[in-house]
Amino acid sequence: SRWEEEKKEDGVKWMQLEHRGPYFVPLYEPLPEDVQFYYDGKPLKLSLATEEIATFYAKMLDHEYTTKEIFQNNFFHDWRKEMTSEEQEIIKDLDKCDFREIHKYFVDKNEARKALPKEEKQVRAGSYDMFLGPMGMLKKRIMPEDVIINCSRDSKIPEPPEGHKWKEVRFDNTVTWLASWTENIQNTFKYIMLNPSSKLKGEKDWQKYEVARRLKGVVHTIRAQYRRDWKSKEIKERQRAVALYFIDKLALRAGNEKEEGETADTVGCCSLRVEHIQLHPQLDGQEHVVEFDFLGKDSIRYYNKVSVEKPVFKNLQLFMKNKDPTDDLFDQLTTNFLNKHLQHLMDGLTAKVFRTYNASITLQEQLKALTNPEDNVAGKLLSYNRANRAVAILCNHQRSVPKTFARSMQVLQEKIDAKKKQVEEAQEEVKKAEEEFKDTEDAKAEANVEKKKKLLKRLEEQLAKLNVQATDKEENKQIALGTSKLNYLDPRISVAWCKKFGIPIEKIYNKTQREKFAWAIDMAGEDFEF
C-alpha cells in the first residue's frame, strides 16, 4: 500500500516540494450601475471600499449568521471603520440598510457560474480574499507581502504577482504547509495545506485515527486512574479527574477552542462556570443528575441532563460551595495542566483524541446493533444514519432546521402519496389478472399475472424506499451528520461496513470525501475493527 511506504527520519515530512503558490483574486470590481444599495429607503452610492464590504454582507443575507445580533454588531463596527467620513455621517443604523438588490445580483451571478464548464471554475492552490468571519468581523485581504512560501530549496520558487514580493521564502521539510500568513482578527497563523487526497494529508489522517485506536488499549487504565483521583487530597487533582470524566463520558471539548473573532460567551469543560450546571440529587427517576446548559463552540447551545457517579456529584457540590454563579467551576484547573496530564497518560493524548475515540467506538457499536443483514440497501442506509446520528448527538453537532425543510418534506410526501396510489392500482391489476387466469387458465393469462406481480413488487419497493427517506429526513432535520463523519469517525469503520453488507461506498461518501479517505478505502477490509 502506498500509505505504508518507507518511513522518513523523525520530523521529515517530505523530500521534494514544488508548487505555484497561492492564487490572489483580482481587485474588487464595482457593482453594475443598476444594482443599488439603499439607506433608509433611498439609493446611496457607496465608495469602492465601502461597497466591497457591503457585498460580503449581502451575499450572506440568507444565512442564519446575519440574524444574530453579535454578527450584525461586529460587521457594522468593522464596516464603519472602512467608510469615508461622509458615509459615516449618513450610515448610522444597520437596520436602515437594504442589501437585497445586491444579494439578488450575486445569487443570479452564482447560478450563471454553476453553468460554466468545469475547467473555467478551477483555480490554483488556494484563493484568499477579504470576507466576513463567523462572528461578522472583517477579515482583511491577504497580499503577497503578508505570505510566507514553503518549498524545496532546489525547486522553482513560485513567482509573486507582478509588482509584489513574498514576505519570506522558507525551505522547511518538517512541516506540510505550502504557504502561511497571519490573519488580522486574532493574529493567528493560517496555512494553505495539501489537497485532502494527497499522500501526506492521508498519512496525517491515518495517524490521527491510529492515536485514537491506541487509546482503546489504555482507556480502562485511564478511567481507573481518574476514579481514584476523585478521592485525592489535592483539590486540583479532583477537579482534573472530574473534568476528564466529563470529557470522556460526554465528549465535551477541553475549552480553549474559540473560533476566530468569536466574542460570544462560549465555554468548554475547563472553563465551565457555576451558573452552567445545576445539581439534582434526584430527577426524572434518576439519582445524582447534573443539568448542563451553556454555549459551546460556534455558539451552539449544549443542554443535557445526565446521571453521574456519586463521587462526581459529591465533588461538584464541593467545587460549587461558597461560589457565586459567575465563578469558575474548576477554579484550579487549566487546559494546559489537563493536557500535560493527558500526555503523561499516553503519548499524543489530548481531549480531542477522547472525542475521536468515543465517536468512533460509538459508531462501530451502533452499526453492529442496528444493521439488519436482511434489510435492503435503503434500510441499511437508514441504520447507518441512525448510528451516525448517535455520534452527532454525543458530540452535540446540531444545526438549525433548514429553511427548505418544510417544502422538501411536502414534495417527498407528494411523491409518497402518488406512489401509494400506483401501488393500489397495481394491486387491483394483479387481482384482475388472477381472476382472468382463473377463468381461462391459459399460459398467456398466467404470464400476465406474473408480470403484474413483478410490477407490484417493484412499486412496493419504491414506496418503502420513499418512506425510509422521509423517516431519515425527519430524524436528521436538526442534526449535522457531516461534522462527525468527516472529522471524528475513523472512515475505516464505514468502509468495512460497506464492504461487509454490500453497500456502494458512494452511498456514504461523495467524490471529494472518497478522495480524502482513499487511504481508508485502500486499507480496510470487511473485518476491520477500530
Side-chain angles (χ1 to χ4, degrees), residues 132-231:
L132 302 179
M135 288 299 117
M137 299 175 90
L138 183 65
K139 294 186 179 184
K140 296 288 180 68
R141 185 189 295 272
I142 306 302
M143 300 301 288
E145 286 75 12
D146 303 313
V147 176
I148 300 169
I149 293 292
N150 190 36
C151 58
S152 305
R153 194 176 293 277
D154 58 351
S155 71
K156 184 177 185 297
I157 295 170
E159 291 286 336
E162 193 175 343
H164 293 273
K165 61 180 182 178
W166 303 122
K167 179 179 182 179
E168 186 187 337
V169 176
R170 289 187 192 171
F171 313 106
D172 186 353
N173 65 0
T174 66
V175 297
T176 56
W177 52 264
L178 314 181
S180 169
W181 66 94
T182 305
E183 59 85 30
N184 65 286
I185 294 175
Q186 285 196 326
N187 289 320
T188 54
F189 288 110
K190 292 292 174 185
Y191 303 96
I192 296 179
M193 309 298 286
L194 288 160
N195 184 286
S197 63
S198 68
K199 181 173 178 289
L200 267 177
K201 196 73 171 162
E203 278 182 347
K204 195 173 179 182
D205 248 8
W206 172 34
Q207 287 160 9
K208 176 178 88 171
Y209 292 111
E210 284 301 296
V211 171
R213 285 181 89 200
R214 278 199 288 117
L215 177 55
K216 185 180 177 182
V218 297
V219 73
H220 296 297
T221 308
I222 291 171
R223 286 168 178 165
Q225 172 72 55
Y226 69 56
R227 280 183 166 85
R228 284 194 299 272
D229 287 345
W230 291 340
K231 298 174 183 175

Side-chain angles (χ1 to χ4, degrees), residues 366-405:
Q366 288 288 309
L367 285 175
K368 284 179 181 176
L370 296 173
T371 308
N372 180 356
E374 304 304 314
D375 279 348
N376 58 19
V377 170
K380 288 182 179 126
L381 287 171
L382 180 63
S383 296
Y384 179 85
N385 281 344
R386 282 176 170 164
N388 197 351
R389 186 166 61 255
V391 175
I393 290 168
L394 172 74
C395 295
N396 200 43
H397 291 148
Q398 301 178 36
R399 64 172 183 173
S400 301
V401 178
K403 290 179 180 178
T404 56
F405 177 78

Side-chain angles (χ1 to χ4, degrees), residues 37-40 72 76 79-80 83 87-99:
F37 166 78
Y38 293 84
Y39 187 76
D40 204 11
Q72 295 170 353
F76 198 56
W79 189 31
R80 278 181 57 80
M83 291 177 186
E87 288 167 336
Q88 287 174 346
E89 280 298 312
I90 300 168
I91 304 172
K92 293 184 176 179
D93 186 349
L94 185 62
D95 289 337
K96 293 181 179 180
C97 297
D98 185 349
F99 302 91

Side-chain angles (χ1 to χ4, degrees), residues 244-256:
L244 190 47
Y245 170 77
F246 287 155
I247 285 167
D248 181 18
K249 183 178 173 72
L250 304 175
L252 295 187
R253 290 184 172 86
N256 58 343

Side-chain angles (χ1 to χ4, degrees), residues 261-362:
E262 189 169 345
T263 57
D265 183 20
T266 59
V267 296
C269 188
C270 295
S271 48
L272 285 170
R273 298 192 297 274
V274 172
E275 63 190 334
H276 293 136
I277 69 167
Q278 286 188 53
L279 303 182
H280 305 279
Q282 287 193 322
L283 185 70
D284 301 333
Q286 292 184 306
E287 291 187 325
H288 311 123
V289 175
V290 182
E291 185 177 359
F292 293 87
D293 193 355
F294 61 89
L295 287 184
K297 190 180 178 189
D298 294 335
S299 296
I300 299 292
R301 185 188 183 199
Y302 182 90
Y303 181 77
N304 198 3
K305 288 185 280 193
V306 59
S307 177
V308 300
E309 295 182 40
K310 188 176 179 179
V312 171
F313 194 83
K314 293 286 186 187
N315 271 309
L316 289 170
Q317 287 177 321
L318 177 65
F319 303 158
M320 295 170 76
K321 195 174 180 181
N322 298 324
K323 284 185 181 176
D324 291 329
T326 55
D327 288 341
D328 287 337
L329 178 64
F330 302 118
D331 56 308
Q332 296 191 32
L333 180 65
T334 63
T335 50
N336 192 36
F337 176 64
L338 176 67
N339 283 328
K340 278 184 180 175
H341 177 65
L342 294 177
Q343 282 292 323
H344 174 71
L345 295 172
M346 188 191 96
D347 183 43
L349 184 58
T350 64
K352 193 170 184 178
V353 175
F354 270 99
R355 204 169 162 81
T356 304
Y357 163 76
N358 281 313
S360 294
I361 282 288
T362 300

